Amino acid sequence: MAQAAPVLNHSKPLKHGHNVKRHTGLMDWITTVDHKKIAILYLWAGGLFFGIGGLEAILIRIQLIKPMNTFLNAQLFNELITMHGTTMIFLGVMPIIFALMNAVIPLQIGARDVAFPFLNALGFWTFLFGGLLLNLSWVMGGAPDAGWTAYAPLSTSTYSTTHGVDFYTIGLQIAGLGTLIGGINFLATIITMRAPGMSYMRMPMFAWTTFITSAIILFAFPAITVGLVLLTFDRILGANFFEVGAGGNPVLWQHIFWIFGHPEVYILILPAFGIISEIIPTFSRKRLFGYSSMVFATILIAFLGFMVWAHHMFTTGLGPVANALFSVSTMLIAVPTGIKIFNWLFTMWGGQVRFTTPNLFAAGFIPTFTMGGVTGVMLASAPADFQFHDTYFVVAHFHYVIVGGLVLGLFGGLHYWWPKMFGRMLSEKLGKWTFWTFILGFHMTFFVQHFLGLMGMQRRVFTYLPNQQFDLLNLISTIGAGLMGVGTIIFLTNVFLTSRKPVGALDDPWEDGRTLEWSIPSPPPEYNFKQTPLVRGIDALWKEKTAGNKGMTPAEPVGSIHMPSATALPFVMSVGIFIAGLGFMFSRDDFGNAFMSFIFNNYIVTAIGLLITFGSMVLRSVFDDHGWHIEPEELEEG
Amino acid sequence: MTTAHAEAANGTLPHEPEKATLEGRNKVLAFWLFLGGEAVLFGTLFATFLALRNQTNEGPTANELFHLPLVAAATFILLVSSLTSVFAIQAMHRNRPAVLRNWLLITVVLGLGFLGLEIYEFSEYIRHEEFGMTTSAFSSAFYTLVGFHGAHVAFGIVWIGILIAQLSRKGLNVITAPKIYVSAMYWHFIDVVWVFIFTVVYLLGKVG
């Protein structure tokens, strides 16, 4: 696909010259297989869900602003905390991570697209329809209310009688399918699509962390797939996996959930490590300190990430031997993570540091994430965890790593790559306002929660009694949450104002770009690289700059470029799964309407949905996509 | 890739047609990755089954249920189908589309035979042994694990069937070869999973 035909004859059409059908407007977005457009789709969809999850957080904090508050009732509070966690992790930050991966990875490795453009689109649409299904629960009989961990037996049909948890299981199943597809796609892309000279140990760190993250996705997501299937079967088909009365075992759910759930934490944070590792060298005008130790620390974190899941279950009663082993393996993770922290500090040390907005976020990330890491080591101590478990100390800890780590990293990455994605620089002034309001609000919200937890305030409880010294700290926490909301609104304002400006960002708008994405126009043309670049070292573009060259040396002559065709099939397939999921979920309901009951109770709706999906798969298999070509003369025009 | 196109245009086929194009190589690589994910999927199902296999809730136990001759026949059929899919790939590498098609047909027929035996087995349990999805934790784990495998077999049969039709229409070339190759990888994988099911579910159920 990346290769070009060596012989060009302009007067007659090439052997594979097929007519290309161009879509415009909405159809363009529905049918696109271009990784740069899919990145923007991921960003808008992820941003939408991030906004929903943020509003849920604000509602939770308003409820907790004072003791015995009646702003929300207990049921709604449970639904909000469940949906806040689920939405933020699966539908908010993961898609934004995928947005940056899609926007940047093919450019960083010198590729014209990902290995499977069709699958890339399919991954996005399944994620979106899974997320929509999950959020439909708000208007279709109540959201899931068993916590984002959906522990059995609370989540079984005995104790959770509405369809809420069904929306959780089916919605996450569909969204998870999209994530798995994306993971496989990025693994294959990074293995096979690197430009000539781009060896593994010359890849930018963000490409490395994407690679490792994708591997974690591949080995972690099938576990939750099975877990969700078991819970679905229990709830809809009357199976007994978690029904103690029939021989089932609720602890099984905890194991399966956390065998997935803990690696998931590293799926979230490793890309942020990669983003920080790109931003800090750029704005220190120095190469990354300890590149190879950074690579091996990433691999080690991924490996250890699969052996620590039971530290979420210290109080379940697995016994002292299991607790001790998982305690030690958890503390081990601090070693590679510490290596990373020091590498970033040593990269800045002695560098010509410029505190642009992305670099502010990166510099803010380091101490904030370190604090989250330190409380992580505290929680890893099993005896102490009996005190911390299910208190606000845990809430503070994971928000320090996820918001103070990942979200700061994402904000940094968005400001950093925004000109590359959209061709317009975000306002530095508003960007700095975003940073200061967000990080101050963040610490106000969550720093005090450490103390609330140590003083004994339980998480996931909708209110608290007065005169326990909780009142002031909760008030501070809620004000901080408001400030984070203000920071996000400033960011959105920045995005809106920037979108009104003309496209005009330079190829290398930060002037000190080190990697391949800064060697091509902003935004890049459809085919990314007119000629595939030749990579001659780590930080390929920086190497050419220091050698006095104007740009990359091409590795091939200008030639015709093969492109994949746009197609609506990924969208249609996802609609099919969506219909099948809804049909299966309501297959045991009495609709009070003979026709509706008939089509749902006999799995006709499910069958129609599956038929749409599998039918689309057959179409995709039977009709080969020959793609189309961009000819050299068009390259000269563009 | 250009050489592969040229050879395809001449009517000859490169030595390993499934890996002759970048698309083909990507497909084979990604399918290995996918099978890695599938291994975790079945691994989790096996772990669930092992955790719950003695939780029979006063329903039938494994020892009472299983008839090894029937399962052994199913195992034999599926193992032979794996062999025939190897013959199919060998025929593909020798560029013999007709032989390839015949071996694929035999693979599909054997797969159907296996699936028929499994459906017969399940229906016997449900009708005569009162052993359904809701009977016990053991029954839920049994039907989910073995049923997932059966669904994979059914999917493989339909998939290879569609590929046989494509082979007749489009011929063997660098586009159809990777598809056939990955379907054979898939078929071997579900065969390996069955070997584990035969051991962990049936043999262990008889003696454990």
Side-chain angles (χ1 to χ4, degrees):
Chain A
M1 182 162 139
Q3 283 92 338
V7 184
L8 299 167
N9 188 336
H10 295 185
S11 57
K12 63 181 183 196
L14 291 173
K15 191 171 66 182
H16 293 288
H18 304 281
N19 287 334
V20 48
K21 198 169 148 200
R22 293 273 187 176
H23 297 282
T24 51
L26 186 64
M27 270 313 274
D28 179 31
W29 290 104
I30 287 177
T31 60
T32 187
V33 290
D34 180 352
H35 70 97
K36 297 173 291 294
K37 285 187 178 158
I38 292 173
I40 293 170
L41 287 172
Y42 264 119
L43 182 59
W44 292 142
L48 172 74
F49 287 123
F50 188 85
I52 294 173
L55 284 177
E56 285 157 3
I58 298 277
L59 293 177
I60 292 168
R61 277 319 316 171
I62 293 176
Q63 163 64 17
L64 294 172
I65 196 168
K66 63 176 189 192
M68 301 304 285
N69 199 357
T70 51
F71 176 67
L72 302 172
N73 63 34
Q75 173 61 27
L76 193 54
F77 185 86
N78 288 348
E79 291 176 19
L80 282 170
I81 57 159
T82 304
M83 287 299 281
H84 167 70
T86 313
T87 304
M88 280 301 196
I89 287 177
F90 292 99
L91 313 175
V93 290
M94 283 190 70
I96 298 178
I97 291 170
F98 267 107
L100 288 176
M101 287 180 180
N102 263 300
V104 177
I105 291 301
L107 309 183
Q108 278 199 333
I109 63 172
R112 294 217 166 94
D113 207 327
V114 292
F116 302 102
F118 181 92
L119 281 187
N120 203 11
L122 181 62
F124 168 74
W125 290 111
T126 46
F127 137 70
L128 181 65
F129 279 100
L132 290 178
L133 185 73
L134 182 56
N135 275 281
L136 269 184
S137 61
W138 286 116
V139 291
M140 289 177 74
D145 53 3
W148 87 279
T149 51
Y151 267 22
L154 185 60
S155 56
T156 61
S157 42
T158 318
Y159 299 100
S160 202
T161 48
T162 67
H163 274 299
V165 178
D166 296 327
F167 281 103
Y168 171 94
T169 56
I170 308 270
L172 284 191
Q173 192 71 275
I174 297 171
L177 194 65
T179 310
L180 186 64
I181 291 170
I184 292 177
N185 194 2
F186 278 105
L187 278 172
T189 302
I190 292 174
I191 293 172
T192 63
M193 308 287 281
R194 284 168 289 129
M198 173 75 75
S199 62
Y200 280 105
M201 292 307 277
R202 285 178 181 175
M203 286 199 309
M205 268 317 290
F206 184 54
W208 255 112
T209 55
T210 298
F211 187 52
I212 302 297
T213 297
S214 303
I216 308 178
I217 288 175
L218 177 61
F219 293 114
F221 263 76
I224 193 67
T225 302
V226 171
L228 293 171
V229 164
L230 303 186
L231 188 54
T232 311
F233 281 9
D234 263 17
R235 291 181 56 85
I236 295 176
L237 302 182
N240 302 309
F241 292 103
F242 310 118
E243 291 292 338
V244 181
N249 188 345
V251 179
L252 186 65
W253 169 265
Q254 298 187 17
H255 278 294
I256 294 176
F257 185 85
W258 288 117
I259 284 174
F260 149 79
H262 198 84
E264 166 72 19
V265 179
Y266 296 100
I267 293 170
L268 298 179
I269 198 64
L270 287 182
F273 287 170
I275 294 165
I276 300 301
S277 304
E278 298 294 319
I279 294 174
I280 286 183
T282 301
F283 296 108
S284 303
R285 290 175 65 97
K286 266 178 75 185
R287 66 175 274 187
L288 185 67
F289 186 92
Y291 172 86
S292 41
S293 71
M294 215 61 152
V295 170
F296 287 104
T298 309
I299 297 171
L300 197 58
I301 290 172
F303 179 74
L304 289 174
F306 278 97
M307 346 223 126
V308 297
W309 78 89
H311 68 209
H312 298 271
M313 301 160 62
F314 281 151
T315 59
T316 302
L318 302 178
V321 176
N323 278 8
L325 284 172
F326 280 100
S327 210
V328 171
S329 62
T330 305
M331 290 180 188
L332 273 180
I333 294 189
V335 177
T337 314
I339 290 173
K340 282 177 172 285
I341 301 281
F342 281 109
N343 280 340
W344 290 318
L345 293 177
F346 289 142
T347 306
M348 296 181 91
W349 186 266
Q352 295 172 21
V353 182
R354 273 196 296 153
F355 283 106
T356 57
T357 307
N359 204 27
L360 273 179
F361 277 105
F365 167 95
I366 298 173
T368 315
F369 181 77
T370 307
M371 289 171 72
V374 169
T375 51
V377 178
M378 290 170 74
L379 286 161
S381 169
D385 185 68
F386 277 75
Q387 287 297 315
F388 304 139
H389 192 84
D390 266 347
T391 69
Y392 269 84
F393 190 81
V394 177
V395 176
H397 158 71
F398 66 69
H399 282 93
Y400 261 81
V401 285
I402 292 180
V403 184
L406 173 62
V407 175
L408 288 184
L410 287 178
F411 268 125
L414 285 173
H415 284 89
Y416 183 57
W417 281 305
W418 200 271
K420 191 50 71 184
M421 288 177 79
F422 295 96
R424 302 172 177 91
M425 291 287 272
L426 284 172
S427 152
E428 275 290 291
K429 191 175 167 192
L430 285 175
K432 283 173 181 166
W433 272 101
T434 308
F435 171 74
W436 287 113
T437 46
F438 193 84
I439 199 164
L440 277 175
F442 166 76
H443 282 285
M444 264 178 85
T445 312
F446 294 108
F447 189 71
V448 293
Q449 291 187 5
H450 291 113
F451 302 103
L452 281 170
L454 292 176
M455 286 151 64
M457 183 166 167
Q458 290 288 300
R459 67 187 281 213
R460 291 175 166 172
V461 179
F462 78 108
T463 192
Y464 51 94
L465 291 169
N467 304 321
Q468 304 181 87
Q469 298 176 325
F470 291 172
D471 307 9
L472 177 65
L473 295 181
N474 270 300
L475 177 66
I476 294 172
S477 187
T478 300
I479 295 170
L483 207 52
M484 288 167 80
V486 171
T488 311
I489 290 168
I490 297 175
F491 175 72
L492 292 177
T493 313
N494 197 353
V495 168
F496 175 73
L497 293 178
T498 305
S499 72
R500 318 272 294 178
K501 287 194 281 190
V503 173
L506 302 171
D507 294 6
D508 183 9
W510 302 107
E511 293 164 6
D512 292 324
R514 309 177 71 84
T515 42
L516 284 177
E517 72 268 34
W518 308 113
S519 69
I520 53 172
S522 310
E526 217 171 347
Y527 44 82
N528 296 351
F529 296 89
K530 191 155 81 177
Q531 292 163 286
T532 302
L534 180 69
V535 175
R536 305 198 293 175
I538 295 179
D539 294 342
L541 179 62
W542 188 256
K543 190 166 178 65
E544 301 295 335
K545 284 179 181 172
T546 52
N549 298 333
K550 284 224 180 305
M552 300 302 299
T553 311
E556 60 173 15
V558 177
S560 120
I561 295 171
H562 182 243
M563 303 293 288
S565 308
T567 165
L569 276 181
F571 179 82
V572 177
M573 279 185 197
S574 309
V575 172
I577 304 177
F578 178 82
I579 294 171
L582 268 183
F584 189 58
M585 215 159 70
F586 289 95
S587 59
R588 293 292 165 97
D589 280 43
D590 184 13
F591 289 84
N593 171 330
F595 175 71
M596 289 289 279
S597 296
F598 177 75
I599 61 169
F600 274 92
N601 296 354
N602 293 299
Y603 299 106
I604 291 173
V605 178
T606 313
I608 291 172
L610 290 178
L611 210 63
I612 294 173
T613 302
F614 286 118
S616 307
M617 284 169 76
V618 172
L619 290 180
R620 171 70 183 168
S621 177
V622 171
F623 295 103
D624 293 311
D625 170 26
H626 298 289
W628 52 285
H629 283 80
I630 298 179
E631 303 304 335
E633 51 268 41
E634 294 176 72
L635 294 177
E636 295 311 319
E637 290 161 18
Chain B
M1 188 162 132
T2 40
T3 50
H5 275 216
E7 281 173 328
N10 299 337
T12 61
L13 207 60
H15 175 57
E16 285 188 321
E18 73 276 7
K19 291 175 190 158
T21 61
L22 179 64
E23 284 88 343
R25 285 194 296 277
N26 279 348
K27 197 172 271 188
V28 173
L29 170 75
F31 207 80
W32 274 112
L33 297 171
F34 170 73
L35 291 183
E38 286 268 271
V40 178
L41 183 107
F42 277 104
T44 316
L45 285 169
F46 273 111
T48 305
F49 179 81
L50 283 171
L52 301 175
R53 58 187 279 268
N54 294 321
Q55 307 294 325
T56 50
N57 193 26
E58 293 174 6
T61 65
N63 196 19
E64 292 161 11
L65 274 177
F66 299 149
H67 296 290
L68 281 187
L70 179 79
V71 188
T75 308
F76 182 74
I77 291 173
L78 201 65
L79 288 181
V80 171
S81 82
S82 211
L83 182 69
T84 58
S85 78
V86 173
F87 290 155
I89 295 302
Q90 285 184 338
M92 184 179 91
H93 283 157
R94 280 182 279 123
N95 195 7
R96 307 265 297 276
V99 183
L100 163 62
R101 195 196 57 223
N102 289 341
W103 282 122
L104 288 180
L105 274 172
I106 294 171
T107 307
V108 166
V109 170
L110 289 171
L112 282 170
F114 171 87
L115 207 58
L117 283 183
E118 185 155 282
I119 292 168
Y120 169 74
E121 186 199 354
F122 280 12
S123 69
E124 285 292 297
Y125 292 163
I126 292 166
R127 283 186 301 144
H128 299 305
E129 312 277 356
E130 295 184 345
F131 183 75
M133 184 64 133
T134 56
T135 307
S136 62
F138 163 62
S139 76
S140 305
F142 170 82
Y143 282 116
T144 305
L145 171 59
V146 182
F148 248 74
H149 177 268
H152 274 74
V153 173
F155 185 87
I157 290 168
V158 175
W159 182 12
I160 298 175
I162 291 168
L163 289 183
I164 292 171
Q166 285 191 41
L167 193 60
S168 311
R169 239 193 48 205
K170 299 177 190 166
L172 181 59
N173 56 40
V174 292
I175 294 170
T176 48
K179 298 184 182 184
I180 293 166
Y181 190 82
V182 295
S183 76
M185 285 168 65
Y186 176 84
W187 198 256
H188 289 312
F189 175 78
I190 53 181
D191 206 29
V192 170
V193 171
W194 179 258
V195 171
F196 281 96
I197 290 181
F198 183 64
T199 316
V200 171
V201 177
Y202 292 99
L203 290 184
L204 217 55
K206 273 297 184 189
V207 297

